[in-house]
Amino acid sequence: MADLQAPRGMSDLLPEDEAAWRFVRDTTERVAGLFGYSLIATPIVEDVRVFARTSGDESDIVSKEMYVFQDRGGGELALRPEGTASVCRAYLEHGMASRPQPVRLYYFGPMFRYDRPQAGRYRQLWQLGAECIGDPSPAADAEVIELQHAIFRELGLDDLVLRINSIGTAETRRNYVERLQEHFHPHLDTLSRDSQRRFETNPLRILDSKEDAAHLAVLEAPSILDHLSAEDAEHFATVRSLLDTAGVAYEVAPRIVRGLDYYARTVWEFEPPSEDGEAGGQSTVGAGGRYDGLIELLGGPPTPGTGFATGIERTLLNMRERGVEAPVAAAVDVATIPLGEQGPAAALRLAQALRAAGLAVRAGAPGRSLRAQLRGANASGARYAAIVGDDEAARGVVQLKPLTADGDQFEVAVGDAAAAVRGE
Ligand code: ATP
Ligand code: MG
């Protein structure tokens, strides 16, 4: 093996993976379009402050996982670890608040996190996501959840379990967080290091600790749902009733939280069902939440927003486990086989004409024998070989040889080749 390899935790998308990736991307585009969402593509790098201000220095993403570097001008940049902050930065930068609200956007692209690589956890990970910015209503939450759900359903993942919760607003959470600290205080020694640290910095996130998921103190923690304000509770009830109307099944899961202050009210996750049919602690395939405080952290006016991110590698993993077949990518229609002196130029013009007619053409290898080129044409899966030698070039014709179906080689005028290949 060569001594140079892809960076640890990062991988190549190979031709054999293409069909599945194309299926996920096309499905995302199609379903997002059906919901009236437009594509946004932000740079893969951002001013580090886009993430430092929003996710905060204490967050895992910023404190442990972010790739930060100086460019040659001395500016501090970060490889984006997630999409929402960038989309909100773009919303502000382009004055999207003056467009009809809400602004509905979706994205599809790589994110970077210095995570510990293992199955379903990489350092370059791809996410698809959507943001609905400018609408504080429960309808916006229900819409993005329904969109995320619809994309999963179209990909054959309708058995993923949707778990939703409300974490109130930063103000209504304050009281609950104090209750939580009182609750965890006597159990501190038996909680993981991470949870001990979170006890000081962000007690809410103890509830979402992977290490302590089975700890009695976590299981018996007071529920945030008992500490919601009347408005929070009404918002949550409306989200649930809209999901009921839309036929989107969910479980209410009071231990799902988002650790950051900018999150408000609705939060959710999609998880694979566990063996016994209930959502377990397996890797989350997608997650989302309402982030009403985020745009202010970027220096904008208070602006409500809600959205989700789905991990594409984990989506593909779940599709493979369920044997979901992606539609096969369109094969090559014609492989040209140029021979002799004049064949190559004639074959090149033939390929142009066929492509202009919408047919996929694999160019042959001038200078190689008919036999060798036929072998390559067969291996490519092309339906026809188009043989063009000196004689054909002189007469303006081509020999079409069916490769994937029975039938004899036949001669057609170059101008009739596209129709012949189409079987017209
Ligand atoms: P986890 O708890 O698994 O670390 P997270 O809370 O960091 O996930 P989010 O920031 O909510 O994840 O990202 C949304 C989705 O992106 C996740 O549900 C997951 O599918 C995917 N994802 C996150 N981190 C990774 C990673 N390192 N490798 C692959 N996919 C990831
Ligand atoms: Mg993570």
Side-chain angles (χ1 to χ4, degrees), residues 65 113 115 121:
E65 298 176 357
R113 299 183 187 182
D115 228 329
R121 195 169 289 284

Side-chain angles (χ1 to χ4, degrees), residues 26-85:
D26 290 354
T27 301
T28 302
E29 274 173 17
R30 182 171 60 80
V31 180
L34 291 176
F35 279 71
Y37 283 65
S38 308
L39 179 71
I40 183 165
T42 59
I44 282 170
V45 294
E46 292 276 354
D47 186 317
V48 69
R49 289 172 297 182
V50 169
F51 308 108
R53 280 195 201 156
T54 54
S55 288
D57 297 334
E58 277 302 323
S59 66
D60 283 355
I61 279 187
V62 170
S63 67
K64 299 193 267 188
E65 298 176 357
M66 201 155 64
Y67 284 87
V68 181
F69 64 98
Q70 288 208 330
D71 69 8
R72 287 172 194 273
E76 232 187 332
L77 297 176
L79 292 183
R80 64 180 184 193
E82 55 106 19
T84 305

Side-chain angles (χ1 to χ4, degrees), residues 132-360:
C132 178
I133 306 178
D135 183 351
S137 78
D141 296 325
E143 176 177 286
V144 291
I145 294 172
E146 190 188 351
L147 170 56
Q148 191 174 22
H149 176 265
I151 293 172
F152 282 134
R153 189 192 56 217
E154 295 296 300
L155 293 172
L157 301 182
D158 34 16
D159 64 335
L160 294 181
V161 178
L162 165 63
R163 304 166 78 219
I164 63 173
N165 191 22
S166 174
I167 56 171
T169 61
E171 295 78 63
T172 60
R173 261 196 311 271
R174 217 156 278 147
N175 174 36
Y176 172 68
V177 167
E178 273 173 34
R179 293 284 86 70
L180 210 54
Q181 271 177 319
E182 281 166 22
H183 169 80
F184 281 123
H185 193 256
H187 306 284
L188 262 186
D189 327 338
T190 59
L191 287 168
S192 67
R193 277 264 183 87
D194 250 5
S195 292
Q196 291 176 8
R197 193 171 46 79
R198 288 166 171 179
F199 182 84
E200 302 297 340
T201 58
N202 201 337
L204 207 62
R205 290 219 40 217
I206 300 177
L207 296 176
D208 152 66
S209 154
K210 290 183 187 69
E211 274 172 276
D212 294 325
H215 197 295
L216 209 59
V218 171
L219 298 174
E220 291 179 346
S223 166
I224 192 159
L225 294 176
D226 298 329
H227 292 78
L228 296 182
S229 71
E231 292 79 23
D232 295 339
E234 195 193 322
H235 186 103
F236 191 41
T238 308
V239 172
R240 284 175 302 171
S241 106
L242 288 168
L243 291 176
D244 292 336
T245 304
V248 176
Y250 58 85
E251 290 173 7
V252 173
R255 282 199 298 278
I256 291 188
V257 294
R258 284 273 176 280
L260 305 172
D261 273 357
Y262 65 69
Y263 278 108
R265 297 182 166 162
T266 325
V267 294
W268 64 91
E269 291 179 358
F270 282 87
E271 283 192 355
S274 63
E275 303 294 289
D276 55 15
E278 311 237 314
Q282 291 101 328
S283 44
T284 305
V285 189
R290 171 167 283 286
Y291 47 82
D292 291 348
L294 194 152
I295 288 185
E296 260 180 292
L297 293 173
L298 289 169
T303 310
T306 181
F308 69 80
T310 291
I312 294 173
E313 291 87 351
R314 291 188 199 176
T315 297
L316 290 164
L317 210 67
N318 277 274
M319 287 165 60
R320 260 196 307 278
E321 281 170 7
R322 288 162 183 72
V324 176
E325 298 269 354
V328 279
V332 172
D333 296 299
V334 177
T336 62
I337 299 192
L339 299 167
E341 290 291 314
Q342 304 305 319
L348 195 106
R349 286 192 299 271
L350 172 69
Q352 277 185 328
L354 293 176
R355 288 177 187 135
L359 294 166

